[in-house]
Amino acid sequence: MKIQNVIYAYFSPGGTTETTVKAVADVFSDQEGVKLTEINLTVWEERQKLHTFGENDLLILGLPDYGGRIPTVAAEALRRFRGQHTPAVIIATYGNAHLGDPLMEMKKELSLNSIMPIAAAAVVTEHTYLSDLGKGRPDAEDMMKIRSFAEKVKARLECLSASYNADSLRVPGAYPYQSAPLRGMPFKVETSDACFYCMLCIPTCPVKAIDPGDPKNIDSSVCIRCGACLKVCPATAKSFTEEPFKELQEGYLRTLVDVRQEPVFIIG
Ligand SMILES: Cc1cc2nc3c(=O)[nH]c(=O)nc-3n(C[C@H](O)[C@H](O)[C@H](O)COP(=O)(O)O)c2cc1C
């Protein structure tokens, strides 16, 4: 199959999913006549658009695991993707804790709109809530494996038959899904007096949860606890509510620090 366009899409408030997806897309950049296009689903406006893909396109999609599922806002965006028997590579990132059903969910959501996953990867990344967990990942070893996976996808596309069906791709995870979509968490984002109103967090928030007139005012019913505002704040004024967050961070997550999970790559 001759690919003319490679479209790489990701939702990545912390940047690790973006790095992973770009590493896969980069392997296609040296192919003559192939155009690369980026869709950054972290941006609210990009998620509202209808994205259409043709039969000679390849979609590379990367989403993080949020409590065993893909982020709800990303799932909504996928419902505005339209393919024409378009092949896809699906990539789930997770913070070295537990991989749930994000690959299964991506496969299901895309297949409904005529986009057919032909390959999948579960890549271990630094955990948003504890940087010691999966620290620095994807690291050099992961990157080598990611590039080798992308080369295999390239080879697989060469011999992909027109009748290819996404059922041939077996991905980790269960259906019915084992977790419910993550809505809210037992902690909130708080803003300390160190905030000097630089306003950087406002456009950074992927869900527009921060009041454009007052960055200390955050709508917790909209906030997805992705940590993007904590990362961008130059004054370290943003944090998660101390007690319940510390319980998760220093309890469950801390116990997993010494167990290195390895990425998984599957070609259908
Ligand atoms: C709300 C939320 C829920 C998460 N749930 C899980 C999880 O269930 N298992 C896991 O291993 N990592 C989990 N993580 C960690 C992320 O999957 C991981 O850090 C991912 O790399 C974040 O992607 P990003 O850097 O592109 O934003 C979670 C992170 C957040 C913010």
Side-chain angles (χ1 to χ4, degrees):
M1 171 175 218
K2 182 91 190 103
I3 294 297
Q4 289 165 349
N5 298 295
V6 172
I7 301 106
Y8 57 100
Y10 53 84
F11 179 79
S12 185
T16 61
T17 311
E18 177 178 347
T19 303
T20 306
V21 167
K22 283 184 171 170
V24 174
D26 191 51
V27 170
F28 290 84
S29 63
D30 62 351
Q31 275 189 312
E32 214 177 300
V34 174
K35 189 177 155 225
L36 265 76
T37 309
E38 178 174 6
I39 302 177
N40 183 354
L41 296 171
T42 323
V43 176
W44 190 89
E45 286 74 12
E46 282 300 317
R47 293 199 306 277
Q48 315 314 310
K49 289 182 191 162
L50 182 71
H51 293 283
T52 56
F53 310 98
E55 54 192 355
N56 293 106
D57 293 348
L58 171 70
L59 171 66
I60 302 170
L61 172 69
L63 301 176
D65 184 323
Y66 275 14
R69 299 289 297 272
I70 57 176
T72 320
V73 293
E76 285 159 12
L78 294 192
R79 289 175 203 137
R80 286 183 275 278
F81 277 26
R82 299 280 181 276
Q84 285 172 34
H85 211 61
T86 307
V89 178
I90 50 176
I91 303 163
T93 57
Y94 73 108
N96 201 66
H98 176 72
L99 176 74
D101 305 323
L103 287 170
M104 186 63 84
E105 196 174 0
M106 276 188 248
K107 182 177 145 177
K108 293 235 171 260
E109 289 292 344
L110 293 179
S111 307
L112 283 175
N113 288 324
S114 196
I115 302 172
M116 299 172 312
I118 61 155
V123 173
V124 182
T125 51
E126 189 165 302
H127 201 294
T128 318
Y129 294 159
L130 179 62
S131 60
D132 284 344
L133 188 52
K135 195 167 191 60
R137 298 186 74 186
D139 58 17
E141 198 182 318
D142 295 318
M143 281 301 189
M144 255 171 50
K145 292 179 184 171
I146 291 168
R147 278 191 289 270
S148 151
F149 165 67
E151 291 292 354
K152 285 182 189 141
V153 171
K154 239 183 184 177
R156 178 70 185 92
L157 281 164
E158 297 278 326
C159 59
L160 193 72
S161 79
S163 61
Y164 178 86
N165 180 322
D167 290 346
S168 324
L169 183 75
R170 306 239 158 214
V171 297
Y175 186 79
Y177 305 123
Q178 295 200 325
S179 317
L182 201 61
R183 292 187 200 279
M185 297 282 262
F187 46 83
K188 296 178 186 170
V189 173
E190 291 179 342
T191 312
S192 75
D193 289 341
C195 171
F196 60 95
Y197 294 86
C198 72
M199 308 299 207
L200 271 180
C201 57
I202 295 163
T204 303
C205 176
V207 292
K208 297 184 188 279
I210 308 176
D211 185 339
D214 179 4
K216 288 186 170 182
N217 185 16
I218 300 169
D219 185 342
S220 287
S221 67
V222 174
C223 169
I224 55 170
R225 281 67 166 170
C226 71
C229 58
L230 277 75
K231 212 168 175 167
V232 79
C233 178
T236 329
K238 302 260 181 233
S239 61
F240 290 116
T241 324
E242 210 157 328
E243 267 321 301
F245 182 69
K246 282 271 171 273
E247 228 176 277
L248 170 68
Q249 198 182 43
E250 298 307 327
Y252 171 63
L253 295 180
R254 180 67 65 189
T255 64
L256 303 168
V257 166
D258 294 330
V259 184
R260 181 185 169 95
Q261 304 223 32
E262 293 302 336
V264 172
F265 302 98
I266 307 147
I267 310 273

